[in-house]
Amino acid sequence: MRSFADSDGDGVGDLGGLRGRLGHLVDLGVDAVWLTPWYPSPMADGGYDVADYRGIDPRFGTLADADALLAEAHALGLRVVVDLVANHTSEQHPWFRAALAAGPGSPERERYFFRDGRADGEEPPNDWVSAFGGPAWTRVREADGRPGQWYLHLFAPEQPDLDWTHPGVGDDFDAILRFWLDRGIDGIRVDAAPAMAKVPGLPDAGHGPGASFESRTWVGNPHWDVEEVHDILRRWRRIGDSYDGDRVFVTEAVVNGPERLSRYVRPDEMHTSFNFDYLTCPWDAARLRSVIDASLAALAPVGAPATWVLSSHDETRHATRFGRADTSATTGAGAPADPGPADPALGLRRARAAALLTLALPGSAYVYQGEELGLPEVEDLPEELLQDPTWERSGHTVRGRDGCRVPLPWEGDRPPFGFTAPGVAPWLPQPAGWGPLTVAAQRADPGSTLNLYRSALRLRRRVTATAGNDLEWLDAGDGVLAFQRGRSFRCLVNLTASSRPLAGWGEVLLASAPCDDLLPPDTAVWVAAPG
Ligand code: GLC
């Protein structure tokens, strides 16, 4: 929302801007739009610190604007999915303010995890770590001004974790979910789902000093992917199922492998889940094939559709990532301080090929705003403008996620490129050279990345509609991914350094780069099989 389009000239994207640009989404050919949190928030973590679950942040608009967005989107055939952040609130939420004021031992503190510290209160109650670096505990000053208890925050200190064993927490979130479903949202994206339950007694996790938040490697962790998370998801699913229409629940769950992930999409839990194994996979044919196979195999027994995603508001844009020596690098507290230089032309070439691969796979695909323009990561934002808590929490060693959140370029040849009123500085500065990447410039260019996405999304609707969920691998030699879906739809991706013959594979429907009878390196094609 903050980076899509601004309608009131304050340099921050808003509901009015989104409503004014819904045509872009229709023209692009997507089915639904997922909005990162729109609730009132101090924005310590891009809105993932919610101070009121039943409102809209004034920077974004009003509840009336949200209602208008839902009506207009629905009239255009677009669904709207909103983020539900239930592991933690903002430190400004009235529940947390009340808990701080009420003091140790009060019922108000039971909604959160307040504990006495170890070593006479001087040390955190356990060894848990924050996703943004450093310990997951912060010590408060009690009413008498003295250092007192500690509270748990698996993310930033401004994001205290809720204790879901408190009955009031679940009851309140039932009502919050109904509040938005009643207003007509089509679904929720469940933020940080694996964090929502903790092992009773909050035992040490065994994290060593300086440990980072590597949730994809954790097994039996006491604060991540704990069994009781699934009770919460089932509870929400029951509420969703009690509504008419198709409501879709998607979870964000960065857990240890596809089998653990499949547990989040059992028939009575979420409908789908983001696929982080795919998102973080390097540009390597064998690795991609094994992630695709493992994803499909793990989901088959629970009957959930797969999802595919290349970028998000939390990760380095893939047009940059794929141009680096290490194509798997991601941001976050565990990211390398210097991921190395990127070759922008190579990155974009691979990004376009990756888009055709992703959109050819069975299941649903997520497009992160701006990837349809081939936007790169902005790696030179001035340090004083960085807003991601990772920057502060890492002691200014990891820049964090701002580089993928730079406002979209819509038109014109200089900032703000139609994102906000002329002369207004967007909340993060856009590179001066983004003129050729604007939506307007790319619409006019048949070979643009925007037009590749538009064509792919249209063809995907047509050719994969009858293909079901099947995927049959075909042999096109080492380093080339080739598969068929349905009777005739084929996708080939050349991840080698040399061109490969295309003859015999069928009629080319769409290509990520010009090709004749050869498939050049880092290129993907969709073909209709002969006969
Ligand atoms: C999710 C969000 C991320 C946020 C975090 C804490 O990972 O995608 O942006 O910082 O949750 O709410």
Side-chain angles (χ1 to χ4, degrees):
M1 178 94 71
R2 284 204 292 177
S3 300
F4 192 70
D6 174 27
S7 66
D8 62 3
D10 65 355
V12 178
D14 52 34
L15 281 163
L18 172 57
R19 287 167 59 198
R21 300 275 189 188
L22 283 176
H24 171 66
L25 300 174
V26 174
D27 179 66
L28 182 59
V30 297
D31 302 301
V33 50
W34 150 41
L35 304 174
T36 52
W38 57 6
Y39 317 99
S41 166
M43 301 283 164
D45 179 25
Y48 285 91
D49 46 323
V50 179
D52 171 9
Y53 287 92
R54 291 181 179 79
I56 298 290
D57 192 279
R59 275 165 282 214
F60 299 148
T62 62
L63 271 176
D65 293 327
D67 292 341
L69 169 78
L70 291 170
E72 288 162 13
H74 290 162
L76 292 168
L78 287 169
R79 310 287 189 94
V80 179
V81 172
V82 303
D83 233 298
L84 188 64
V85 188
N87 174 64
H88 43 266
T89 67
S90 161
E91 57 162 357
Q92 297 298 329
H93 194 287
W95 297 333
F96 193 71
R97 309 302 308 164
L100 278 183
S106 63
E108 286 84 350
R109 287 209 171 176
E110 289 170 10
R111 268 184 188 259
Y112 294 89
F113 294 96
F114 280 88
R115 296 288 184 275
D116 296 332
R118 296 201 271 215
D120 283 336
E122 297 295 321
E123 301 283 331
N126 68 25
D127 67 357
W128 296 2
V129 290
S130 152
F132 298 135
W137 295 90
T138 289
R139 196 169 188 189
V140 301
R141 263 183 204 285
E142 303 295 1
D144 61 6
R146 276 190 288 205
Q149 288 195 298
W150 299 69
Y151 69 89
L152 177 69
H153 52 85
L154 289 180
F155 294 88
E158 296 86 351
Q159 295 167 297
D161 280 44
L162 287 163
D163 184 348
W164 268 84
T165 64
H166 185 293
V169 171
D171 291 346
D172 278 319
F173 274 95
D174 285 357
I176 289 162
L177 181 54
R178 288 182 188 283
F179 175 85
W180 292 106
L181 288 169
D182 287 341
R183 290 196 106 87
I185 63 161
D186 298 287
I188 52 168
R189 176 261 194 193
V190 178
D191 182 63
M196 292 191 296
K198 281 84 179 172
V199 167
L202 314 185
D204 278 339
H207 296 313
S212 58
F213 205 87
E214 303 285 352
S215 63
R216 293 173 71 226
T217 64
W218 290 341
V219 177
N221 185 292
H223 61 70
W224 202 258
D225 198 17
V226 172
E227 192 56 34
E228 283 69 22
V229 163
H230 299 283
D231 297 337
I232 303 170
L233 300 181
R234 286 190 195 101
R235 178 175 182 153
W236 288 345
R237 176 63 181 265
R238 282 195 297 274
I239 293 176
D241 284 349
S242 73
Y243 280 76
D244 57 5
D246 294 328
R247 313 283 173 144
V248 56
F249 287 9
V250 54
T251 177
E252 181 209 29
V254 186
V255 291
N256 191 345
E259 195 281 323
R260 292 302 294 182
L261 186 62
S262 71
R263 297 160 51 82
Y264 287 77
V265 289
R266 288 176 288 196
D268 57 350
E269 299 194 36
M270 302 286 99
H271 298 93
T272 60
S273 185
F274 288 106
N275 188 338
F276 287 93
D277 290 336
Y278 185 74
L279 189 155
T280 54
C281 187
W283 186 242
D284 174 278
R287 299 275 295 275
L288 280 164
R289 178 169 169 166
S290 99
V291 166
I292 293 167
D293 280 341
S295 303
L296 294 172
L299 293 170
V302 289
T307 67
W308 314 99
V309 59
L310 291 164
S311 274
S312 79
H313 65 295
D314 291 330
E315 310 290 337
T316 303
R317 283 197 177 271
H318 62 275
T320 295
R321 172 165 68 93
F322 286 151
R324 289 181 178 155
D326 177 359
T327 51
S328 69
T330 63
T331 54
D338 178 10
D343 172 343
L346 179 66
L348 180 58
R349 186 180 180 90
R350 289 176 171 169
R352 290 169 56 107
L356 289 197
L357 168 64
T358 303
L359 296 175
L361 293 169
S364 45
Y366 285 82
V367 175
Y368 173 51
Q369 61 181 23
E371 78 169 71
E372 78 279 20
L373 306 176
L375 293 189
E377 183 83 1
V378 180
E379 299 187 277
D380 58 358
L381 289 170
E383 290 180 355
E384 64 277 13
L385 295 182
L386 295 179
Q387 311 217 1
D388 188 340
T390 304
W391 174 242
E392 289 300 328
R393 300 275 300 168
S394 68
H396 296 183
T397 57
V398 182
R399 293 172 65 87
R401 302 161 295 177
D402 293 313
C404 68
R405 299 177 176 183
V406 171
L408 296 191
W410 291 94
E411 64 223 359
D413 55 9
R414 68 177 71 106
F417 298 112
F419 166 75
T420 181
V424 173
W427 71 280
L428 286 173
Q430 300 156 308
W434 270 10
L437 295 178
T438 63
V439 172
Q442 295 205 37
R443 263 171 172 275
D445 172 6
S448 69
T449 302
L450 175 59
N451 280 319
L452 180 72
Y453 269 80
R454 292 174 70 217
S455 304
L457 285 164
R458 266 167 194 73
L459 259 177
R460 166 187 162 89
R461 208 177 283 279
R462 183 156 61 82
V463 292
T464 62
T466 52
N469 276 333
D470 68 314
L471 179 153
E472 183 194 349
W473 291 105
L474 307 170
D475 183 10
D478 279 354
V480 181
L481 293 172
F483 59 86
Q484 179 159 335
R485 296 195 45 217
R487 283 212 310 279
S488 77
F489 175 75
R490 289 177 172 174
C491 175
L492 278 85
V493 194
N494 182 0
L495 292 96
T496 74
S498 56
S499 294
R500 294 300 164 94
L502 257 183
W505 284 98
E507 179 206 347
V508 174
L509 304 170
L510 190 60
S512 67
C515 46
D516 34 43
D517 48 356
L518 290 177
L519 183 63
D522 296 314
T523 304
V525 284
W526 289 0
V527 298

